[in-house]
Amino acid sequence: MLASFLRIKFPHLFWGAVASSAPVQAIANYRGYNDVVAYSLSAAVVGGSPKCLNTVKEAFAQVGELLKTKDGQGTLESAFNICKKGALVSQDNQRLFAEVLSMQFSLQGNDPVCSGKLCNIAKTCKAILSPPGSAFDSLVNLTKESQGAVCIDIDYNKELQELTDTKYTPGQNVRSWLYQTCTEFGF
């Protein structure tokens, strides 16, 4: 995005610019990214398959249903090893939880020759399709493999507090990107 903005604003200084994945026009309730993710999870050329996509869709649909009830929220907290019991009562925490689950699918940095366990679409699809059981169980297993033995800290207020801390903390370098995305780019 910055490359394209620079080219537009300073054409006398920049003869050209490469701007891959550069959404230069903000769109409210933009679903286009999810469409690209779905296509990638189903595309054989990058290691996906229709079965992989359907498994992911089915798993997330079940997560969505479980989030609707207190018992379902408890099931999710137990299955996904959420650090704080009762965390999923808050809608903000539910959205954060869905974001954490979606980050199990490393699509933006899809490297076909990566050496990590779940570092590309092919390895992620293989992992989610490997274990016997339901799509939900597969998502649970994939998340546990990705997260390791540590519990998942789902606390929206804590995340906001960390993002408002102006001191740089390793692992919190997303702060400047979120600020720029939300305030300067209008997303």
Side-chain angles (χ1 to χ4, degrees), residues 18-92:
V18 176
S20 65
S21 184
V24 294
Q25 183 176 359
I27 300 171
N29 297 319
Y30 182 63
R31 296 188 43 87
Y33 180 77
N34 291 337
D35 295 339
V36 171
V37 170
Y39 174 76
S40 297
L41 288 173
S42 68
V45 70
V46 292
S49 69
K51 186 175 181 182
C52 178
L53 173 60
N54 290 334
T55 301
V56 172
K57 281 183 175 181
E58 186 180 327
F60 274 90
Q62 189 167 0
V63 168
E65 285 301 313
L66 289 169
L67 282 171
K68 292 178 181 179
T69 67
K70 193 165 183 82
D71 287 342
Q73 293 162 9
T75 298
L76 291 169
E77 289 167 358
S78 177
F80 286 97
N81 194 22
I82 306 288
C83 298
K84 183 181 174 189
K85 299 304 173 204
L88 295 178
V89 171
S90 157
Q91 285 190 344
D92 287 332

Side-chain angles (χ1 to χ4, degrees), residues 51-171:
K51 186 175 181 182
C52 178
L53 173 60
N54 290 334
T55 301
V56 172
K57 281 183 175 181
E58 186 180 327
F60 274 90
Q62 189 167 0
V63 168
E65 285 301 313
L66 289 169
L67 282 171
K68 292 178 181 179
T69 67
K70 193 165 183 82
D71 287 342
Q73 293 162 9
T75 298
L76 291 169
E77 289 167 358
S78 177
F80 286 97
N81 194 22
I82 306 288
C83 298
K84 183 181 174 189
K85 299 304 173 204
L88 295 178
V89 171
S90 157
Q91 285 190 344
D92 287 332
N93 285 351
Q94 289 178 9
R95 284 189 282 275
L96 182 59
F97 175 63
E99 181 182 339
V100 167
L101 291 183
S102 69
M103 290 188 312
Q104 306 313 306
F105 303 92
S106 60
L107 302 177
Q108 286 191 339
N110 186 48
D111 179 358
V113 295
C114 64
S115 59
K117 277 185 167 182
L118 301 170
C119 57
N120 62 31
I121 294 168
K123 291 179 179 185
T124 302
C125 282
K126 183 178 178 185
I128 203 160
L129 294 174
S130 293
S134 69
F136 176 79
D137 293 337
S138 294
L139 181 59
V140 169
N141 290 334
L142 177 76
T143 305
K144 285 182 177 177
E145 187 173 343
S146 172
Q147 298 290 326
V150 299
C151 64
I152 301 174
D153 190 15
I154 303 295
D155 188 338
Y156 180 79
N157 291 326
K158 180 180 173 185
E159 185 159 310
L160 282 181
Q161 185 179 17
E162 289 173 354
L163 288 171
T164 58
D165 182 0
T166 58
K167 298 179 294 195
Y168 174 76
T169 305

